[in-house]
Amino acid sequence: QITLKESGPTLVKPTQTLTLTCTFSGFSLSTSGVGVGWIRQPPGKALEWLALIYWDDDKRYTPSLKSSLTITKDTSKNQVILTLTNMDPVHTATYYCVRHVRGVPDYWGQGALVTVSS
Amino acid sequence: DIQMTQSPSTLSASVGDRVTITCRASQSISYFLAWFQQKPGKAPKLLIYKTSTLASGVPSRFSGSGSGTEFTLTISSLQPDDFATYHCQQYNSFTWTFGQGTKVEIK
């Protein structure tokens, strides 16, 4: 059974750095073609793809946030970590951790709501 | 970035109706398009990938078609469980982008 779960702070202040951890099970991030990424959704708004790390450590970022995002993996712990610097209230959203296989986001975590407010 | 535009934004329909949602890409994405269903408070669920391949467990009343820049999701006979928001997503480029979503509501 494949599961992914997001963890991290629920509230961050403007200008702070957000660090989210995705802990997954039921698959390996060492398998060719597999990646784990992050997608967010502000309340009542559209989904926004953020970042993806592949089994071979290839990393992809959405261009508009590339300078603010970092994605890393710890294969031994089955974890993927996302950091987003200089948080702003517009970054308030539910952040989803998502497995990708050959580019297709097939399994999603339940999501973690992060609020940016002073 | 490749922009994805869905239409309509909201669709009112009745149980049993045939429903079609359109997704247009700002440039060709070949057949690298996926559709997701999302219910309130829940994570999106993969319905279709590679334009027309149904994900595991998805009912056959769902179908997808298209290529290049224009794609459609069709529900052949809307069921009560299908009232939800539907999202398209392209995965052709080095980064991925979503449409703005289509809410299917009860008429």
Side-chain angles (χ1 to χ4, degrees):
Chain A
Q1 181 189 3
I2 293 172
T3 64
L4 304 97
K5 188 170 185 179
E6 306 85 356
S7 59
T10 57
L11 179 66
V12 297
K13 293 181 174 9
T15 76
Q16 286 187 336
T17 294
L18 172 67
T19 300
L20 291 171
T21 300
C22 173
T23 303
F24 58 87
S25 63
F27 68 97
S28 172
L29 198 40
S30 299
T31 302
S32 176
V34 174
V36 174
W38 292 88
I39 293 167
R40 71 182 178 185
Q41 186 173 38
K45 295 189 178 180
L47 296 163
E48 179 184 19
W49 183 87
L50 297 177
L52 174 64
I53 188 165
Y54 279 110
W55 83 100
D56 60 358
D57 212 40
D58 182 20
K59 300 170 186 176
R60 308 286 173 85
Y61 297 102
T62 188
S64 61
L65 291 170
K66 188 172 182 178
S67 62
S68 303
L69 289 167
T70 304
I71 190 168
T72 59
K73 63 181 174 68
D74 186 331
T75 306
S76 65
K77 292 183 179 179
N78 282 353
Q79 289 183 333
V80 169
I81 297 168
L82 180 78
T83 62
L84 177 55
T85 61
N86 196 24
M87 291 291 284
D88 183 274
V90 299
H91 298 153
T92 293
T94 297
Y95 286 75
Y96 294 102
C97 171
V98 187
R99 187 183 83 154
H100 293 59
V101 174
R102 288 178 288 281
V104 180
D106 61 351
Y107 283 88
W108 297 59
Q110 64 189 22
L113 176 61
V114 177
T115 301
V116 185
S117 175
S118 54
Chain B
D1 282 14
I2 297 177
Q3 308 302 317
M4 305 300 293
T5 303
Q6 280 183 243
S7 60
S9 297
T10 305
L11 188 160
S12 297
S14 302
V15 172
D17 284 354
R18 181 181 180 87
V19 166
T20 299
I21 299 168
T22 299
C23 184
R24 290 187 173 88
S26 60
Q27 63 190 73
S28 177
I29 57 170
S30 185
Y31 53 80
F32 294 106
L33 184 98
W35 291 97
F36 299 86
Q37 177 192 67
Q38 186 179 27
K39 296 184 178 178
K42 300 292 187 182
K45 170 190 169 185
L46 178 66
L47 291 178
I48 290 172
Y49 61 96
K50 210 186 293 183
T51 295
S52 59
T53 303
L54 261 58
S56 177
V58 174
S60 58
R61 63 181 179 272
F62 290 93
S63 64
S65 64
S67 68
T69 62
E70 187 152 339
F71 301 84
T72 59
L73 170 70
T74 300
I75 308 172
S76 60
S77 178
L78 199 63
Q79 298 301 300
D81 191 49
D82 301 338
F83 292 97
T85 298
Y86 294 84
H87 308 272
C88 65
Q89 186 212 32
Q90 67 81 19
Y91 56 102
N92 179 64
S93 67
F94 285 115
T95 59
W96 288 244
T97 46
F98 287 91
Q100 79 277 21
T102 295
K103 184 177 181 180
V104 176
E105 59 182 26
I106 301 172
K107 191 172 184 179

